[in-house]
Amino acid sequence: MTATVDAPTAELGKARLRKEDAKLITGQTNWTDNIKLTGMLHLAFLRSPYAHAKITRVDVSGALGQPGVIAAFSGADFAAEQGSLPCAWPVTPDIVIPPHPPMAVDEVRYVGEAVAVVVARDRYAAADALASIDVDYEPLPPVLDIRTALDPGSPKVHEAGNKSYEWVFANGDVDAAFSDAPVVLERTYRQQRLIPCAMEPRAVVAQWVGDEVTLWSATQIPHVLRFALSAFFGIPEQNVRVIAPDVGGGFGSKLQVTAEEVLAVLIGRKVGKPVKWTETRTEGNMTVHHGRDQWQRIKIAAEADGRIRGLSVDLLADMGAYLMLVTPGVPLLGAFMFPAIYKMDAYSFKCTGVFSTKMPTDAYRGAGRPEATFAIERIMDELAAELGIEPLELRERNWIKHEEFPYTTICGLTYDSGNYEAATAKARELFDYDGLRAEQRLRNERGDKVRLGIGISTFTEMCGLAPSRVLGSLSYGAGGWEHASIRMLPTGKVEVVTGSSAHGQGHETAWSQIVADQLGVPFEDIRVLHGDTQVSPKGMDTYGSRSLAVGGLALVSACDKVVAKAKIIAAAMLEASADDLEFSAGRFSVRGDPEASKTIQEVALATFAAHALPEGVEPSLDSDATYDPDNFSFPHGTHLCATEVDTETGFVHIRSYVAVDDVGVVVNPLIVEGQVHGGIAQGIAQALYEEGVYDEAGNLVTTTLADYLVPAAADLPSYRTERTSTPASNRLGVKGVGEAGTIASTPAVVNAIVDALRPLGVQDVTMPCTPERVWRAIQAAHGQPAHGQPAHGQPAHGQPAQGTEQSGGMA
Amino acid sequence: MIPAKFDYVRPSSVGDAVSALVGGGEDAKVIAGGQSLLPLLRLRLAYPELLVDIGGLDELRGVTDGGDHLLIGARTTHYQLVHDPLITEHCGLLAQAAGTVADPAVRHRGTLGGSIAHADPAGDLPAVVLALDATMITAGPAGSREIPAGEFFVDYLTTALAPGEILTGIRVPKLSADWGYRYEKFHRTAQAWAIVGVAALVRRSDGHVAEARVGLTNMGSVPIRAAAVETAAAGAQASPEALREAAAGADEGTQPPADLHGAPDYRRHLARVLTGRALEAAAGV
């Protein structure tokens, strides 16, 4: 399965080393925290130790006498100007969006919420002086379990109650699908709370000069941030410049308008000096928005032969204490993904957004799609077990066949391309699926203490966010287009300006490859500029695997315009008609007379000189283009995971992992490989290691990387990765790859664990599948509930959660 | 991760270090590799006013052959423990356990003495020196003392070191070739602390266990010798079944902690399983 979009070109598909890396690995990176400005002051925030409390008094005067301290403020000092942090996605007309002041004034609603700030000459002095601020709190009851937060007697996070919204979607006759179905399974899955943990912590520098402010921030979204500062905090847009210098990872966590960004701008104006703040890791764990945190009740109805009749999903989604930039919309991005690659007659979805006294949740790598993919791929395995059908066979009986594309799903999405058979066949072979199944049978028969399990994930996802009309229909507050500019320099070199602001993805390399092919200029002659609203004034930034599928297409469109202008000038230079010119590999030549030609560099110089331009032609080849996609793109693939589970200790070892991904046409295989590897690691992290844990008082327990376990290279297997390719229906044939690995891998790993333990009676293990939880699941399945309580009041691990019992059976 | 203010001295002799420590009183702390203390400072969980950096005291570094024992300088790093030929030959358990500590960066900076003096029961080396019947050698205002490992660990992060006293070295009896060993560490990620660790030494004779010593990591507020296992193993047949049976009492007398990675009952279970595995490996069966 190879691409058939265009003839092979010079750069597309080449495993170029990344232009970005020399700088990164030689310590020349310009992180926000490296910025030093004359007279710059440093901020330290005092944060709430309570999950929920009234603030009855804040006295910052004690800090003012401390060495190096210039100023100190509490929330009341900002009350008149700080407004409310924006939520751009009011998903329903009656959604409750509570005010969210950047600094708490009267009440705190999660541990870590900022209540005061010290401004000092250095960050040590600022941190020291925090101890001299007095705050009186009147504790209020925390709200920590969203499953009971909607009960009438529950304490309230906000006066309006704990329900933010209820969003529903349905298509087909769901009642009919379920009413007389031969098999109905219902399960409840837990999507634990995750903490993004980007390598570079958040950092902000704000500098006012007159009435103009420049904000440097470790952000994914300089353009959105500029708009927000202007639209919601009253600074005229033309006076705001936002710079995202080199940014060290985000995974969605820097897709946010944060309290600290807004406060740095306000404080900088108050003190008349540049101010800087860089979070500590502990601060980051507490106050960078978290991800996931859903309870998923999923119900599937099927025929006895495994054909799916209907699917019904009921989500409870923990919003945390406030709605941040896209908090309420994240579960909805998953709403369209539960049916995944499968055909069915009916589907219903309901999501209830619930407030708690925890850090707000928001986008985290995959944002809604990993949750959906997990639930459907887990229950497909359960259905296979229930019916005694081989799990890959069950999937094949239900998936959309390659000849059926384009295919409109039960959600109304049109999948433009895909070949699930091809990806699965390749994965099966690489994995030695049949050999491992044989070994598994043998080990089960022997009753081995270490069991082998095989996990499957035949996933798809939607990326290329997003057609603006679709965003509009979902009540999102902005469009989904992307912008690009090409500047042809007089010497024939090229500056590419992109609105898609990279923070580790490798845009500088990939964009250079695309432009090199489109304009026929050498890769080395191209410079990519981004991440500064003064350099790149228009853009929608980087998230949702949108950069290539949207920003890359904007780039192609901008290149078209350059070529069209250059053609007219080249025609004049060649004394030919533009209609008689063809453009190939950077050269305009007269059809039938290859000797008569001009390179695009020659045309650029002639345009600059402007001595002999045709009548009415401007002396510029530069172009701008804004691209709004007409559909999402749908990467897919088959991931297979083999785990060895030590039934004595509960330890899970990943023995092998095969990923076959179809991301359409590949611009740079090295970058794709990196994204797939990192993505799988992050998905395995959810399956086995990571969980943001609050205790019964609402304190975050996992404040350091000793407690919040991010796996490292030593903990992860060597992946075997391959690709199949069905080109997407856009001009480049590209789909996007930033989140695929994360979306695919979590269910593959958990399915493998359950598959290993199913002969022992285990039906589920709650994520993260820690050794203790795996061990307890085995104990429980043996009918020997483990004695004692699991640590920290967690749900009894491995016990079926409420509602996981099968609600139907063979009729 | 911003430490509070502290004073800092870097003495050039053990005597000067002791004087500085005495002068600093209760608010003074010794720093060597900094792998335990610095995180505490950066998280503001410790507020010493004076750090006495013994990083310049080269006499506290390295391994010397003392005939029937090895004398290991307190500043000897984990990396050196892993690679020193004397350690490998005469007390390989220490090398094996040191190789499981955290990651290469930590092993290059972190020291044996630091790990022992910090006395974190989740640290790997305290249980190992306990199983090795090692002796701690100290220098203090009243001169030098020798403290057996069994008396050194007093409570969580608390040792028998008196105010002003510095751990200078560890004396480890050499083990003859008929001893086998195994450090069985159970943790969720390579860099993480042990949920439970078991340091086992077994001397075999004629297909039986002549003598066994077992130290437990993270099964209480101090490293613990699994006395019931040692008694049960002595004289037992060197077979997996017999050794597993001996390991059944591994959690006797322990008070394992509860944290995110394991409740006490799970740790007790792990101690039994891991002790069985460690004994089997140490006995070579």
Side-chain angles (χ1 to χ4, degrees):
Chain A
M1 302 308 302
T2 47
T4 53
V5 170
D6 278 314
T9 51
E11 284 293 338
L12 221 62
K14 198 184 264 187
R16 281 274 185 192
L17 292 178
R18 302 197 325 164
K19 285 185 168 184
E20 296 87 338
D21 290 342
K23 182 172 84 164
L24 287 167
I25 62 178
T26 55
Q28 298 178 68
T29 319
N30 185 30
W31 308 118
T32 300
D33 188 52
N34 292 38
I35 293 167
K36 292 186 174 69
L37 302 175
T38 305
M40 188 168 77
L41 301 174
H42 297 260
L43 309 182
F45 290 97
L46 187 69
R47 297 181 179 279
S48 169
Y50 289 99
H52 196 191
K54 287 252 180 251
I55 301 171
T56 53
R57 187 181 71 99
V58 186
D59 180 1
V60 299
S61 62
L64 294 174
Q66 299 298 310
V69 172
I70 301 296
F73 304 106
S74 68
D77 296 313
F78 300 106
E81 55 185 338
Q82 69 173 347
S84 183
L85 292 170
C87 171
W89 203 341
V91 296
T92 59
D94 60 350
I95 186 173
V96 174
I97 304 182
H100 185 189
M103 184 172 282
V105 181
D106 304 316
E107 193 168 328
V108 286
R109 294 183 177 85
Y110 64 91
V111 167
E113 194 168 357
V115 293
V117 62
V118 171
V119 188
R121 291 195 196 282
D122 65 61
R123 70 185 302 216
Y124 293 89
D128 288 344
L130 292 179
S132 308
I133 296 176
D134 281 338
V135 185
D136 291 342
Y137 296 98
E138 195 178 286
L140 295 167
V143 177
L144 299 168
D145 187 344
I146 57 168
R147 290 170 300 173
T148 54
L150 298 180
D151 294 350
S154 170
K156 289 178 181 178
V157 182
H158 298 280
E159 240 164 66
N162 293 336
K163 183 169 147 186
S164 173
Y165 69 89
E166 183 179 299
W167 191 90
V168 294
F169 174 89
N171 193 19
D173 191 338
V174 177
D175 290 341
F178 277 86
S179 64
D180 60 347
V183 192
V184 174
L185 290 188
E186 180 177 331
R187 294 287 186 272
T188 297
Y189 295 122
R190 170 73 176 140
Q191 288 287 327
Q192 78 270 34
R193 182 171 276 255
L194 298 180
I195 301 177
C197 291
M199 191 84 84
E200 183 208 13
R202 287 181 302 155
V204 195
V205 174
Q207 182 183 36
W208 285 85
V209 176
D211 61 357
E212 296 172 18
V213 64
T214 302
L215 179 69
W216 290 261
S217 181
T219 179
Q220 294 175 223
I221 52 162
H223 299 92
V224 175
L225 183 54
R226 181 193 193 202
F227 172 80
L229 286 173
S230 177
F232 304 110
F233 302 97
I235 308 164
E237 194 170 352
Q238 73 278 16
N239 292 350
V240 183
R241 177 182 181 187
V242 176
I243 302 173
D246 290 318
V247 177
F251 311 110
S253 74
K254 294 170 182 169
L255 163 54
Q256 194 54 269
V257 177
T258 68
E260 292 84 358
E261 287 166 332
V262 173
L263 289 169
V265 168
L266 300 182
I267 294 164
R269 187 163 62 188
K270 274 187 194 293
V271 300
K273 296 271 178 124
V275 297
K276 180 193 217 170
W277 172 77
T278 302
E279 75 185 359
T280 66
R281 181 61 65 183
T282 296
E283 241 180 341
N285 277 16
M286 285 194 296
T287 66
V288 170
H289 72 240
H290 293 169
R292 317 280 192 259
D293 206 341
Q294 298 177 358
W295 291 93
Q296 309 172 299
R297 209 170 80 200
I298 181 166
K299 223 163 104 176
I300 194 164
E303 304 288 356
D305 66 0
R307 195 184 66 77
I308 301 169
R309 294 175 60 154
L311 187 70
S312 165
V313 174
D314 188 350
L315 290 189
L316 278 182
D318 193 335
M319 304 285 99
Y322 303 97
L323 302 184
M324 296 191 73
L325 196 61
V326 297
T327 299
V330 168
L332 277 48
L333 288 172
F336 303 95
M337 283 287 109
F338 281 92
I341 64 171
Y342 308 116
K343 296 182 279 190
M344 59 190 70
D345 307 326
Y347 170 56
S348 73
F349 174 90
K350 182 173 98 171
C351 176
T352 310
V354 185
F355 292 113
S356 68
T357 51
K358 297 181 187 175
M359 182 64 208
T361 55
D362 208 310
Y364 175 57
R365 201 171 191 175
R369 291 108 81 209
E371 296 94 314
T373 304
F374 178 85
I376 183 68
E377 289 301 295
R378 278 288 295 115
I379 205 163
M380 287 302 280
D381 260 27
E382 296 302 306
L383 183 62
E386 177 70 26
L387 293 171
I389 299 174
E390 216 289 325
L392 268 178
E393 168 67 23
L394 176 74
R395 286 168 168 84
E396 184 158 13
R397 286 183 196 179
N398 284 288
W399 73 40
I400 302 156
K401 306 290 180 292
H402 71 273
E403 63 271 16
E404 293 176 295
F405 289 92
Y407 183 89
T408 301
T409 72
I410 193 73
C411 299
L413 291 173
T414 302
Y415 291 181
D416 60 339
S417 64
N419 189 331
Y420 309 138
E421 297 92 326
T424 302
K426 198 167 201 171
R428 240 190 124 112
E429 187 194 330
L430 278 170
F431 189 69
D432 185 20
Y433 187 84
D434 296 333
L436 283 169
R437 281 284 182 218
E439 182 187 333
Q440 180 186 34
R441 274 193 298 278
L442 185 70
R443 288 168 70 162
N444 284 342
E445 282 160 21
R446 283 200 311 242
D448 279 12
K449 283 184 175 158
V450 178
R451 293 296 176 104
L452 179 65
I454 295 170
I456 299 162
S457 175
T458 50
F459 79 104
T460 189
E461 60 137 333
M462 51 193 264
C463 54
L465 263 58
S468 297
R469 64 181 166 79
V470 176
L471 293 179
S473 72
L474 293 171
S475 311
Y476 183 64
W481 48 263
E482 194 44 83
H483 186 77
S485 306
I486 303 286
R487 301 204 287 251
M488 286 300 299
L489 303 176
T491 56
K493 315 293 189 203
V494 183
E495 284 178 345
V496 175
V497 181
T498 176
S500 171
S501 173
H503 47 282
Q505 289 84 353
H507 288 24
E508 292 174 33
T509 305
W511 275 209
S512 297
Q513 289 181 267
I514 292 170
V515 171
D517 280 351
Q518 296 292 323
L519 297 182
V521 300
F523 173 82
E524 294 76 14
D525 285 0
I526 300 162
R527 171 108 193 270
V528 178
L529 304 170
H530 63 89
D532 177 347
T533 59
Q534 204 162 81
V535 174
S536 150
K538 292 180 75 171
M540 281 293 177
D541 305 315
T542 293
Y543 42 84
S545 304
R546 69 187 303 274
S547 293
L548 183 57
V550 187
L553 272 294
L555 213 56
V556 172
S557 175
C559 288
D560 284 348
K561 293 182 182 179
V562 170
V563 171
K565 288 186 189 179
K567 195 178 220 177
I568 294 164
I569 296 168
M573 292 167 76
L574 293 164
E575 297 179 347
S577 157
D579 295 341
D580 293 335
L581 292 193
E582 51 192 24
F583 180 65
S584 173
R587 187 174 286 274
F588 295 94
S589 47
V590 180
R591 243 178 237 107
D593 181 10
E595 294 302 304
S597 71
K598 291 287 175 195
T599 65
I600 195 163
Q601 290 88 350
E602 289 171 312
V603 177
L605 188 61
T607 308
F608 170 70
H611 294 163
L613 299 181
E615 190 67 28
V617 171
E618 290 181 12
S620 168
L621 295 178
D622 297 353
S623 76
D624 281 287
T626 305
Y627 175 79
D628 198 338
D630 55 14
N631 193 2
F632 296 92
S633 56
F634 302 95
H636 72 82
T638 297
H639 286 212
L640 298 173
C641 174
T643 57
E644 300 203 313
V645 183
D646 184 335
T647 59
E648 286 188 314
T649 63
F651 191 83
V652 174
H653 167 73
I654 297 179
R655 173 164 140 186
S656 65
Y657 194 103
V658 165
V660 176
D661 284 277
D662 183 338
V663 296
V665 171
V666 167
V667 174
N668 183 324
L670 199 62
I671 290 176
V672 166
E673 197 77 356
Q675 287 279 17
V676 169
H677 278 232
I680 295 171
Q682 225 155 349
I684 291 175
Q686 174 170 14
L688 296 181
Y689 299 111
E690 298 184 11
E691 181 172 28
V693 178
Y694 285 86
D695 67 15
E696 59 283 352
N699 296 301
L700 185 69
V701 178
T702 49
T703 54
T704 73
L705 295 180
D707 296 312
Y708 190 85
L709 290 192
V710 177
D715 307 305
L716 297 163
S718 290
Y719 318 118
R720 271 178 296 170
T721 62
E722 284 280 349
R723 282 185 297 280
T724 53
S725 178
T726 52
S729 56
N730 57 53
R731 278 185 59 196
L732 285 172
V734 297
K735 298 182 182 177
V737 68
E739 297 157 297
T742 307
I743 291 166
S745 61
T746 309
V749 175
V750 178
N751 276 341
I753 295 168
V754 176
D755 186 58
L757 300 178
R758 208 182 293 281
L760 305 180
V762 172
Q763 284 198 358
D764 194 22
V765 180
T766 307
M767 293 191 295
C769 304
T770 65
E772 183 182 17
R773 284 182 183 175
V774 171
W775 177 72
R776 286 191 196 282
I778 296 167
Q779 301 303 305
H782 281 170
Q784 307 162 357
H787 297 296
Q789 283 298 309
H792 287 275
Q794 291 300 293
H797 310 314
Q799 307 270 15
Q802 200 177 2
T804 58
E805 291 302 326
Q806 186 185 321
S807 66
M810 299 297 289
Chain B
M1 311 298 168
I2 308 166
K5 198 172 170 181
F6 54 81
D7 287 329
Y8 172 87
V9 291
R10 189 177 165 93
S12 52
S13 72
V14 173
D16 288 353
V18 170
S19 304
L21 206 52
V22 169
E26 281 190 355
D27 296 321
K29 285 288 278 184
V30 173
I31 186 164
Q35 299 306 295
S36 300
L37 185 56
L38 278 180
L40 295 180
L41 295 181
R42 290 159 68 88
L43 291 166
R44 296 199 173 209
L45 294 171
Y47 292 84
E49 288 185 3
L50 173 68
L51 288 191
V52 179
D53 183 354
I54 60 170
L57 307 182
D58 287 340
E59 64 267 40
L60 300 187
R61 198 162 178 143
V63 183
T64 26
D65 193 335
D68 62 347
H69 66 269
L70 296 180
L71 183 62
I72 309 171
R75 281 193 57 234
T76 306
T77 63
H78 304 313
Y79 177 84
Q80 289 172 311
L81 294 177
V82 174
H83 292 93
D84 188 281
L86 285 172
I87 303 257
T88 308
E89 188 182 347
H90 301 296
C91 47
L93 176 64
L94 194 52
Q96 189 181 64
T100 72
V101 172
D103 55 42
V106 170
R107 293 197 289 271
H108 273 84
R109 285 196 162 272
T111 66
L112 173 61
S115 171
I116 304 299
H118 186 56
D120 186 336
D124 300 297
L125 301 184
V128 169
V129 297
L130 190 66
L132 286 167
D133 280 337
T135 303
M136 313 301 142
I137 302 166
T138 72
S144 181
R145 282 205 298 158
E146 298 199 351
I147 308 171
E151 295 166 22
F152 188 78
F153 303 103
V154 175
D155 202 347
Y156 183 72
L157 305 185
T158 308
T159 67
L161 284 170
E165 242 181 351
I166 293 173
L167 179 63
T168 57
I170 292 101
R171 195 172 63 218
V172 185
K174 284 184 182 174
L175 293 173
S176 54
D178 50 355
W179 282 91
Y181 58 84
R182 174 72 185 174
Y183 186 63
E184 193 74 32
K185 180 173 182 174
F186 191 81
H187 49 169
R188 288 175 59 198
T189 61
Q191 299 185 57
W193 274 281
I195 298 174
V196 174
V198 179
L201 289 159
V202 170
R203 185 163 60 81
R204 271 183 69 167
S205 171
D206 293 335
H208 283 74
V209 173
E211 189 181 352
R213 295 194 226 140
V214 177
L216 301 175
T217 297
N218 215 9
M219 285 296 288
S221 58
V222 291
I224 293 167
R225 281 283 281 266
V229 177
E230 294 181 0
T231 306
Q237 207 183 353
S239 70
E241 297 73 26
L243 293 174
R244 293 236 170 185
E245 201 182 312
D251 61 317
E252 269 181 35
T254 63
Q255 285 186 304
D259 62 26
L260 285 177
H261 308 307
D265 66 322
Y266 177 59
R267 284 192 153 93
R268 287 177 183 276
H269 167 77
L270 280 181
R272 295 189 291 266
V273 171
L274 300 174
T275 298
R277 291 180 183 184
L279 287 174
E280 280 181 48
V285 297

